[in-house]
């Protein structure tokens, strides 16, 4: 069975940085897309960033210029470098992987992780 496990969350002061990692194990081959989501109080799981198998990234407007998504395709490992963190970034961050494409709906992805907590506070 495919397992998606996030790590790297924690507490940081405003303006600080964190790097999240996500390993998708148990899958032979490369995914069509991997991505990060977080919980929005009204919208549910909202897209933070995705990267497809051509290394094309897509970012939510709220994180553009601050977050960088990257993918180690050979190991099915996804990263999210988060810089200039703000209190509004406090959330649980979820990783997802799909065999085919990048979807905006978290629940339509083939494989989903349980999340890692990020807290930004002084």
């Amino acid at each position: 069975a495919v397992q998606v496990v996030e790590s790297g969350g924690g507490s940081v002061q405003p303006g600080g940085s964190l790097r999240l990692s996500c390993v998708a194990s148990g899958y032979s081959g490369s995914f069509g897309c991997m991505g990060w989501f977080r919980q929005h109080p009204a919208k549910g799981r909202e897209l933070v960033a995705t990267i497809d198998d051509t290394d094309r990234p897509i970012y939510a407007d709220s994180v553009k210029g601050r977050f960088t998504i990257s993918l180690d395709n050979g190991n099915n490992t996804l990263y999210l470098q988060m810089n200039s963190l703000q209190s509004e970034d406090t959330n649980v961050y979820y990783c997802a992987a799909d065999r085919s494409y990048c979807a905006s709906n978290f629940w339509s992805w083939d494989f989903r992780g349980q999340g890692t907590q990020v807290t930004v506070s002084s």
Side-chain angles (χ1 to χ4, degrees), residues 25-107:
S25 59
Y27 183 74
S28 58
S30 299
F31 293 105
C33 191
M34 294 187 75
W36 293 97
F37 290 78
R38 64 188 182 187
Q39 190 73 21
H40 187 283
K43 301 177 184 177
R45 300 273 165 94
E46 67 171 355
L47 187 150
V48 175
T50 62
I51 187 165
D52 64 17
D53 55 4
T54 66
D55 276 340
R56 185 174 69 99
I58 294 177
Y59 297 97
D61 287 344
S62 58
V63 306
K64 279 181 184 175
R66 300 188 299 122
F67 290 11
T68 302
I69 190 170
S70 59
L71 177 63
D72 178 350
N73 241 328
N75 293 313
N76 283 336
T77 301
L78 183 70
Y79 302 97
L80 186 68
Q81 177 66 43
M82 305 187 295
N83 298 329
S84 301
L85 282 162
Q86 305 164 357
S87 57
E88 303 84 70
D89 297 315
T90 294
N91 216 310
V92 178
Y93 286 75
Y94 300 89
C95 176
D98 197 277
R99 288 167 289 192
S100 300
Y101 64 94
C102 306
S104 58
N105 183 349
F106 174 80
W107 300 107

